[in-house]
Amino acid sequence: MLVEKYSVCGGNRLYGEINISGAKNAAVAIIPATVLVDGPCRIENVPKISDVTALLTIMREFGANIKLINDSTIEIDCSKIRNTKAPYELIRKIRASYYLIGALLGRYRCAEVGMPGGCDFGVRPIDQHVKGFESLGAKVDIKNGFIHATAENGLKGTNVYLDIVSVGATINIMLASVLASGQTIIENAAKEPHIVDVANFLNSMGADVKGAGTDVIKVRGVPTLKGGSYAIIPDQIEAGTFMAAVTATGGDILIKNIIPKHLECITAKLSEMGAIIEEFDDSIRVRRDGALNRVNIKTLPYPGFPTDMQPQLVAALILANGTSIVTESVWENRYRYIDELKRMGAKIQVDGKVAIIEGVQKLTGAPVRAWDLRAGAAMIIAGLTAHGYTEIEDVLHIERGYENIVEKFASLGADIKRFECPDEEEIAEPLKA
Ligand code: UD1
């Protein structure tokens, strides 16, 4: 069997322009949300990433009619869904499969979905999702790796207070409640840009969702949602990844198709690190010529610094002057990738949720692994600043969430290639036997 890898030869500064794709975390919620809609939904700015492909495959299994209109536009019609059971083999690959529970429950009053997969950051509970569904009147059982949710008498609007600020639970409760009777109030809701995007999508199909983007969301149930057209927002994390990369390598790039407001927390940190950042209406210019400074970072729910940018910032801080302290406060275990960076010469100490990065003069290329999506992006950034070749394996994790990442970095002057090679573990098997 052949496996895909990236080879990165470090040392080039980045120059030029790139376009940011639609937001992964909005797309993976809006696609399942089409289950709630009676009629075709035309969705524009859909990123070409494998998480979207996997979701579309699941939706087809359900009986959704999906047409590819062009490179980034799809039409999904869920009027003839015949199945509310999602197959485990597909579901386990993506975290966002949990949105199918809220959407199927909201529309068909029952859902049977395999427990979700996705990046491994330690324990990823869904108790707040379940609490929301139960408050709305659903009966939820988790057995044999499946979540079964039913609401024979329909769902009824209610107040749900989230004990933890959760992106997934906020969206899932919104999905389950748009067709419920009466009003649902979600308190202590998450405020990420993609939550606002999902609410805007639902409203453009006829829902009544108010307050998305604040910590209180009010959903007044409506009888049906009708088809329409909607364009997904640009990906804040993809833009942030390129911003972090040019801050690390030096250079001057223009990042187009973005919403600068969504990038404020990233812009603030990269400016402290020495990047010079100019914002325009829908683009941002990032350059760095001078020193790379140390900073401290603590990840927090939006509008705090996003946990999904933590690995990329750590990679960019390896060559900074002085010692940086990074505190991961969203996920319990998001530092597994750091051992890979150490193999390239990084000096990083991890103590629980804190990583202490002591700036070094030089990194050297090494074979490394993409443990998960954003950790994979961090390997690319480290590889771009290292002397010599870095070979990144398990790049399928990266392609779950970044569209054409190799082509985009190469267009900025990076020496990066995707290649296929025989699976070394497979070759080693007969030797082990
Ligand atoms: C989403 C993003 C992910 C990002 C994360 C935090 C998607 C598909 N994924 O994940 O990229 O890293 O937000 O910004 O949008 N928690 C509970 N109980 C729950 C739900 C969550 O305890 O029922 C905890 C989690 O363990 C975590 C914290 O809440 O510590 C935040 O998780 P959450 O915001 O739900 O993350 P996801 O929606 O899974």
Side-chain angles (χ1 to χ4, degrees):
M1 202 179 75
L2 293 176
V3 291
E4 289 80 22
K5 292 187 182 182
Y6 296 166
S7 81
V8 184
C9 182
N12 294 359
R13 294 158 76 87
L14 301 179
Y15 291 95
E17 296 183 1
I18 44 150
N19 269 308
I20 294 304
S21 304
K24 163 189 172 276
N25 286 348
V28 298
I30 287 173
I31 292 170
T34 61
V35 167
L36 292 157
V37 182
D38 207 3
C41 300
R42 185 186 168 97
I43 307 170
E44 294 163 18
N45 209 25
V46 179
K48 283 196 291 300
I49 52 176
S50 62
D51 265 14
V52 162
T53 313
L55 255 182
L56 293 177
T57 309
I58 296 168
M59 301 281 293
R60 279 200 182 95
E61 289 271 320
F62 281 142
N65 186 8
I66 300 175
K67 288 188 199 145
L68 305 180
I69 308 293
N70 63 38
D71 216 24
S72 59
T73 305
I74 53 176
E75 192 181 274
I76 308 180
D77 187 348
C78 292
S79 316
K80 296 202 175 75
I81 285 213
R82 47 175 190 266
N83 183 1
T84 54
K85 182 171 176 176
Y88 178 70
E89 266 317 298
L90 291 168
I91 292 287
R92 72 184 177 88
K93 294 190 182 149
I94 47 171
R95 181 80 193 152
S97 50
Y98 52 38
Y99 292 134
L100 286 163
I101 312 168
L104 289 167
L105 188 60
R107 178 88 190 268
Y108 298 101
R109 300 179 174 185
C110 67
E112 201 175 327
V113 177
M115 283 293 272
C119 293
D120 180 4
F121 309 143
V123 184
R124 294 188 73 167
I126 58 159
D127 55 299
Q128 299 302 305
H129 305 234
V130 172
K131 172 180 162 173
F133 300 146
E134 287 178 341
S135 308
L136 285 161
K139 185 173 173 300
V140 184
D141 283 319
I142 301 181
K143 58 177 183 226
N144 306 330
F146 273 81
I147 304 156
H148 303 255
T150 48
E152 280 164 20
N153 302 318
L155 296 169
K156 281 200 186 61
T158 184
N159 280 29
V160 185
Y161 179 87
L162 295 180
D163 302 319
I164 286 180
V165 179
S166 158
V167 173
T170 303
I171 293 179
N172 233 342
I173 298 167
M174 242 164 43
L175 297 180
S177 59
V178 281
L179 298 176
S181 63
Q183 179 172 252
T184 300
I185 302 182
I186 309 168
E187 291 174 87
N188 200 26
K191 297 182 275 209
E192 269 67 2
H194 46 285
I195 291 173
V196 180
D197 208 35
V198 177
N200 288 343
F201 164 78
L202 293 168
N203 286 341
S204 73
M205 303 291 147
D208 183 355
V209 181
K210 294 199 174 77
T214 75
D215 54 10
V216 180
I217 299 179
K218 293 185 179 165
V219 184
R220 199 169 280 284
V222 295
T224 50
L225 299 185
K226 293 281 173 230
S229 238
Y230 191 77
I232 292 174
I233 52 165
D235 198 307
Q236 169 207 24
I237 304 299
E238 188 197 7
T241 300
F242 283 99
M243 292 168 75
V246 71
T247 303
T249 60
D252 184 350
I253 66 171
L254 183 69
I255 304 174
K256 301 198 293 191
N257 184 33
I258 54 122
I259 299 174
K261 172 91 189 134
H262 295 166
L263 298 170
E264 273 171 0
C265 37
I266 301 167
T267 302
K269 276 298 151 193
L270 295 176
S271 302
E272 266 184 66
M273 286 170 68
I276 298 161
I277 302 182
E278 272 177 274
E279 287 178 7
F280 306 102
D281 286 348
D282 60 358
S283 60
I284 198 161
R285 179 179 175 199
V286 186
R287 59 202 158 101
R288 186 182 67 80
D289 291 321
L292 187 60
N293 309 319
R294 58 157 298 279
V295 291
N296 292 342
I297 296 169
K298 182 172 185 180
T299 64
L300 288 167
Y302 190 81
F305 189 86
T307 172
D308 287 354
M309 280 298 300
Q310 179 256 99
Q312 302 88 313
L313 257 284
V314 166
L317 285 168
I318 297 170
L319 297 174
N321 299 318
T323 302
S324 305
I325 300 177
V326 173
T327 309
E328 172 56 56
S329 71
V330 177
W331 295 112
E332 62 162 28
N333 180 10
R334 202 169 187 172
Y335 287 132
R336 201 162 44 157
Y337 69 92
I338 280 182
D339 281 342
E340 307 294 314
L341 298 176
K342 286 188 184 169
R343 294 170 55 235
M344 299 173 72
K347 271 199 179 165
I348 308 177
Q349 235 182 300
V350 175
D351 186 3
K353 294 194 158 193
V354 176
I356 300 166
I357 305 141
E358 206 182 307
V360 293
Q361 294 293 319
K362 171 175 153 177
L363 280 186
T364 46
V368 292
R369 177 171 175 191
W371 278 96
D372 61 61
L373 168 57
R374 308 300 170 187
M379 296 306 129
I380 297 180
I381 294 175
L384 291 173
T385 60
H387 286 242
Y389 277 95
T390 294
E391 203 172 277
I392 306 173
E393 67 174 306
D394 282 347
V395 299
L396 292 183
H397 286 297
I398 303 177
E399 294 171 4
R400 282 187 37 227
Y402 287 97
E403 175 176 325
N404 294 337
I405 193 165
V406 168
E407 292 78 1
K408 287 187 186 183
F409 268 115
S411 77
L412 296 173
D415 187 345
I416 177 168
K417 289 181 190 69
R418 186 181 200 274
F419 65 99
E420 287 184 332
C421 63
D423 186 349
E424 277 155 27
E425 278 177 25
E426 215 173 59
I427 295 171
E429 272 313 306
L431 301 175
K432 276 193 218 158

